[in-house]
Amino acid sequence: MEQVDLLILGAGAAGLFCAGSALRAGRRVMVLDHAARPGEKIRISGGGRCNFTNLATAPDRFLSRNPRFAASALARFTAPDFVRLVDRAGIAWHEKAQGQLLCDGKATQITRMLLDRMKGAELRMETAPLSVRHDGMGFVVGTQGGAIHTERLVVATGGKSIPKIGATGLAYDIAAQFGLRMIDTRAGLVPMTFAEQELALCRPLAGVSVEARIRHNGGQFRDALLFTHRGLSGPVILQISSFWQPGETMQIDLAPDHDVAAQLKAARSEAGRVAVSSALGRVLPARLATAICDEMGLSQARLADQPNTRLEALGARVNRWQVRPVGTEGYRTAEVTLGGIDTRDLDARTLQARKVPGLFFIGECVDVTGWLGGYNFQWAWASADAAGRAD
């Protein structure tokens, strides 16, 4: 039986970073993954440029049953700490917006940096962990190539999001096997889908984007909203999807800088012969303005002919659009998995299971989920560093 000091399951962002942090003189560290290539989620993130961290990282940018759980790891390995590694590796980057940092070049530069950082550890791809057990002295992980014995086992296999790149529920199975509790999982940072009535508006507008503001269940975001053939997407929808629960109605402001009813009333007194759709088109994209006017029976209407009540109803439709999604696109396109391993069963400083010494869970499989914009990568780095450096 092979013997290592630290075995990491998962060669994604958290697993690779943990390997680099865990290297010690004389310590044998190994990373296993069933996939053909390491860092697949890194490769596809940020449109291929990897939104590797966010300068605004703070515990309040994460969702969890215990919102303070992430604070310890995030404080000990910060966004500037990761930026220093990126700079040292000679990787050019830029700040996109709201603290989001992305590579100027390809996301694979980050993967290469992580692989360079873990030199001295062994990486075995296309090696699936088939079983895990505790033998009283440590952990035995079975693979198709034989069993591996380790004193410490770090589970960094991620959540269920984007199964086409290899996501599985392995971390949850291992946690359940060793008696750790779970918070129900669901897709997060994901496009939302609508029933046929709303789709009658969305389908013809597929590809139209507008800046919108949404407040829901404690989440408040303002960013681009994108109409799709299935419903709504864009950053503001991905953000609020993590706060939305099935069956709930959301209110969307499609013109957050405008009191649409007041502006239409003012326009009526100045140029009443203008079509309502043309006046609304000064606030919204023309296709969206026309579609909303058609929906409200105002396709051929002039401003001069509309009473205040009609313009107020139109303003409410734009500034307080009530929508009830029927669901989301699910794990297929979700950027993260909400829920996961209950933080009550993990030590906040080390990510070690409280009742199973030597067993650690890091990254997305834990019930810590960041906002869109690099926060989840920062949690991967911070939680991985905490486990890798644990005594």
Side-chain angles (χ1 to χ4, degrees):
M1 186 183 299
E2 266 191 284
Q3 177 74 41
V4 298
D5 300 307
L6 176 66
L7 181 61
I8 300 167
L9 305 183
L16 297 178
F17 199 80
C18 185
S21 296
L23 289 174
R24 310 272 199 284
R27 174 185 271 190
R28 186 176 181 197
V29 177
M30 181 185 292
V31 180
L32 299 184
D33 200 297
H34 70 287
R37 295 184 296 184
E40 278 297 271
K41 212 165 191 180
I42 295 173
R43 181 181 63 82
I44 67 173
S45 68
R49 295 187 184 277
C50 187
N51 186 183
F52 55 80
T53 192
N54 196 300
L55 297 177
T57 296
D60 65 359
R61 302 299 170 97
F62 295 84
L63 285 73
S64 173
R65 285 287 182 91
N66 177 4
R68 294 299 304 170
F69 178 83
S72 177
L74 292 171
R76 285 181 293 123
F77 189 86
T78 66
D81 289 332
F82 193 80
V83 172
R84 279 190 282 274
L85 293 177
V86 173
D87 287 342
R88 197 175 304 147
I91 300 172
W93 54 270
H94 61 279
E95 182 175 349
K96 181 180 177 183
Q98 302 170 338
Q100 301 175 40
L101 304 189
L102 295 91
C103 298
D104 288 354
K106 293 184 177 180
T108 49
Q109 293 176 288
I110 297 296
T111 304
R112 173 47 54 194
M113 180 191 82
L114 299 181
L115 292 172
D116 288 344
R117 183 174 177 268
M118 60 172 277
K119 280 182 178 175
E122 183 177 354
L123 175 62
R124 289 189 187 174
M125 302 304 297
E126 300 181 287
T127 305
L130 304 177
S131 63
V132 178
R133 64 182 176 88
H134 198 281
D135 67 354
M137 301 291 291
F139 300 89
V140 179
V141 176
T143 75
Q144 63 267 43
I148 303 169
H149 189 275
T150 181
E151 296 175 6
R152 294 186 174 206
L153 179 66
V154 177
V155 181
T157 54
K160 299 178 181 179
S161 58
I162 319 183
K164 70 179 179 182
I165 62 170
T168 70
L170 178 62
Y172 310 133
D173 296 338
I174 295 174
Q177 177 185 336
F178 286 96
L180 278 72
R181 290 170 286 188
M182 287 285 300
I183 303 299
D184 289 344
T185 60
R186 59 188 178 92
L189 300 182
V190 62
M192 310 192 85
T193 56
F194 289 143
E196 196 61 36
Q197 182 176 349
E198 286 82 6
L199 286 180
L201 172 71
C202 293
R203 282 196 186 111
L205 292 172
V208 172
S209 179
V210 63
E211 185 167 338
R213 179 170 57 213
I214 309 177
R215 297 185 179 96
H216 191 75
N217 282 348
Q220 178 175 317
F221 301 98
R222 176 173 172 165
D223 212 322
L225 176 150
L226 177 69
F227 289 88
T228 75
H229 288 95
R230 292 178 293 274
L232 297 176
S233 187
V236 73
I237 292 296
L238 300 188
Q239 292 280 34
I240 212 65
S241 71
S242 295
F243 294 80
W244 176 82
Q245 294 287 344
E248 293 178 342
T249 297
M250 298 191 308
Q251 180 173 288
I252 302 176
D253 186 350
L254 295 172
D257 290 327
H258 304 273
D259 181 335
V260 172
Q263 288 186 222
L264 291 176
K265 290 175 186 178
R268 180 183 58 188
S269 64
E270 296 169 3
R273 297 178 64 183
V274 170
V276 175
S277 59
S278 297
L280 189 58
R282 297 169 185 166
V283 175
L284 299 176
R287 282 174 60 193
L288 177 57
T290 298
I292 291 175
C293 287
D294 289 348
E295 175 191 299
M296 299 191 69
L298 296 170
S299 56
Q300 304 298 322
R302 297 188 313 164
L303 273 177
D305 301 328
Q306 308 311 310
N308 285 347
T309 54
R310 195 71 169 141
L311 296 183
E312 286 163 3
L314 180 56
R317 171 62 179 79
V318 175
N319 290 132
R320 295 181 296 281
W321 183 29
Q322 302 290 320
V323 295
R324 187 176 183 180
V326 294
T328 71
E329 292 191 4
Y331 294 119
R332 181 181 64 85
T333 60
E335 296 201 14
V336 292
T337 303
L338 291 157
I341 297 161
D342 196 326
T343 58
R344 291 177 296 176
D345 292 337
L346 301 176
D347 182 274
R349 285 189 59 82
T350 64
L351 281 297
Q352 183 172 213
R354 293 186 182 278
K355 296 182 180 179
V356 190
L359 179 62
F360 301 76
F361 293 88
I362 61 175
E364 187 181 347
C365 67
V366 179
D367 177 34
V368 175
T369 305
W371 291 3
L372 183 72
Y375 295 104
N376 288 292
F377 273 129
Q378 187 57 38
W379 169 243
W381 317 136
S383 60
D385 196 63
R389 296 188 188 280
D391 294 330

